[in-house]
Structure formats: structure tokens, C-alpha cells
Amino acid sequence: MSNYRLNLNQQSNGDYEVHENGCIYYPTQNYDDLGYYSACSSAVTAAKQKHPYKKINGCKTCSNPCHTS
């Protein structure tokens, strides 16, 4: 299980990205701590439930299976 965070800084394409602990882009400020999950898909689902009006995506680097754009 890994800790996941949602970066609350919007990307240039409009996405808000979910990052796994250990990622080079793991946010250290302006983030929402999503908690511990066994896969990025669960973390992305949790982020979407907590932030239904944000365009949530997985990080291409650390959560590639959940990266869609």
C-alpha cells in the first residue's frame, strides 16, 4: 500500500494529478492527502469523489495505468 496525494495545482491541460509517495512530482505543498491505497485506480476514484468538479488524472510518471490525458 502506498500513500497518494492529489496535487491541487492545476496542470496546463486542466488536469489535477494524483501522485504516489516516492514520485519525483509528489507534492509537498498545496495538496490533498488521499490516504493509502493498493493501486492508483482506487486513489483516483477517491480523488474524484472528494473533488467532483475537478478533472482528475493519474500522474504519467508514477500512476501511468491511471493516466488518461
Side-chain angles (χ1 to χ4, degrees):
M1 304 258 299
S2 294
N3 191 38
Y4 286 86
R5 290 181 177 173
L6 175 66
N7 186 345
L8 296 176
N9 296 315
Q10 190 175 32
Q11 304 297 305
S12 60
N13 67 355
D15 287 353
Y16 292 86
E17 293 187 338
V18 172
H19 298 275
E20 183 178 2
N21 186 22
C23 178
I24 60 172
Y25 301 111
Y26 193 70
T28 57
Q29 53 188 333
N30 199 27
Y31 63 86
D32 183 5
D33 189 19
L34 299 171
Y36 288 85
Y37 296 93
S38 58
C40 65
S41 57
S42 299
V44 168
T45 297
K48 287 180 178 181
Q49 290 174 345
K50 289 178 81 174
H51 302 275
Y53 300 106
K54 288 183 175 10
K55 185 179 169 194
I56 308 291
N57 197 3
C59 170
K60 186 175 183 178
T61 301
C62 66
S63 299
N64 196 309
C66 300
H67 180 75
T68 59
S69 62

